[in-house]
Amino acid sequence: MSLRSDLGRVKGLGSAKLGVDHWWLQRVTAVALIPLSLWFVVSLLAVFNAPHAEVVAWVAAPHVTVLLLALVAVLFWHVQLGLQIVLEDYIHSAWLQVTVQVALRCIAVLGALAGAVAILKISLGH
Amino acid sequence: MSSRPISPHLQIYRPQLTSVLSILHRATGVFLSVGTPVLLYWLLAAAAGAEAYATAQTLLDAGFVQLLLVAWSWAFYYHLCNGVRHLCWDAGYGFELSSVYASGYAVLGASLILTLLTWACVWSQGTSA
């Protein structure tokens, strides 16, 4: 027996079925960001005033490279998940919603890639 | 979606700590998202070499930018602390109204203190040469 309402069937709407996954991923990325972002802020306080060579040496340290890559990936994922909800709340036209959500995902991926490339350029070129 | 009449809400309900902190969580989230390009800029400048990095440092030291960085740091600490508050709710803790208010004030206090501590660290070190 289908639990779908008549209206849902007629309008082609209904549960997107991805709700729980989104909710869970937002929490997982949030929990991951707690130590990652705090570590980054503390580290930044130590190197923000340092000469370029010192900053490069810090980024190039293997454990720092790994953590920075993790931070960038998780951060942009969390940003995308969060902004998705905000946009869903305020955009109601279907075509605009799809366009904006796809654009958001593209920007998030590009942002994460830009960060990763910068980190790897420093790390591998050192 | 037709422009059907809806009940007034913002003109009716007095702002409470609960509703204000809730919208603040969304607002700080959006504000922080908008700030991620600055993080990318810093990383890319560091990757581009000493000259590009020196330019970035000069730009980031500018008064107006420093003000923005202070705002972003507070937004970060607020979003972090209130985020933990949210995670506690997700786990089922802290739903008593008294707890909600107590944790709410705690989040505001903690975010302020963390912001002040951070910038005390920054300004005690002075600006880069």
Side-chain angles (χ1 to χ4, degrees):
Chain A
M1 178 206 137
S2 173
L3 288 170
R4 226 170 160 200
S5 69
D6 289 341
L7 189 63
R9 235 178 293 133
V10 165
K11 287 187 117 178
L13 297 173
S15 165
K17 299 191 211 75
L18 295 171
V20 177
D21 284 341
H22 181 283
W23 182 88
W24 177 247
L25 284 170
Q26 199 172 41
R27 270 72 183 163
V28 171
T29 53
V31 168
L33 278 172
I34 296 173
L36 276 171
S37 62
L38 284 173
W39 162 80
F40 178 68
V41 168
V42 169
S43 304
L44 203 63
L45 283 173
V47 300
F48 81 94
N49 240 359
H52 181 246
E54 206 177 303
V55 174
V56 165
W58 172 70
V59 173
H63 71 283
V64 175
T65 307
V66 169
L67 287 174
L68 280 176
L69 286 171
L71 172 69
V72 162
V74 177
L75 177 65
F76 278 97
W77 198 359
H78 188 79
V79 164
Q80 181 271 316
L81 290 168
L83 290 178
Q84 176 184 339
I85 295 296
V86 177
L87 293 169
E88 279 176 4
D89 277 353
Y90 301 131
I91 299 173
H92 306 292
S93 117
W95 71 267
L96 187 60
Q97 184 79 261
V98 172
T99 307
V100 166
Q101 294 292 353
V102 170
L104 175 62
R105 279 158 176 76
C106 292
I107 295 169
V109 168
L110 286 174
L113 281 174
V117 166
I119 294 163
L120 288 171
K121 274 193 84 174
I122 298 172
S123 185
L124 298 176
H126 184 71
Chain B
M1 190 153 152
S2 60
S3 48
R4 72 215 189 304
I6 53 175
S7 301
H9 42 87
L10 289 173
Q11 297 110 304
I12 300 296
Y13 289 104
R14 178 195 296 163
Q16 326 258 340
L17 189 72
T18 46
S19 54
V20 170
L21 294 193
S22 177
I23 194 62
L24 213 51
H25 194 72
R26 172 169 284 200
T28 52
V30 174
F31 184 53
L32 286 166
S33 303
V34 166
T36 49
V38 177
L39 173 65
L40 286 179
Y41 171 61
W42 182 75
L43 280 170
L44 288 163
E51 217 179 288
Y53 190 70
T55 310
Q57 272 185 310
T58 314
L59 280 169
L60 292 169
D61 274 337
F64 172 67
V65 181
Q66 288 278 296
L67 216 66
L68 269 176
L69 291 174
V70 172
W72 266 314
S73 63
W74 176 79
F76 166 71
Y77 285 122
Y78 174 84
H79 198 83
L80 173 70
C81 294
N82 199 236
V84 170
R85 186 165 168 248
H86 264 288
L87 290 171
C88 290
W89 289 333
D90 288 338
Y93 298 109
F95 281 107
E96 288 298 310
L97 194 59
S98 54
S99 306
V100 170
Y101 269 77
S103 62
Y105 285 121
V107 162
L108 280 172
S111 61
L112 260 159
I113 292 171
L114 288 167
T115 309
L116 288 168
L117 277 174
T118 303
W119 287 94
C121 272
V122 171
W123 288 324
S124 68
Q125 289 189 42
T127 50
S128 47

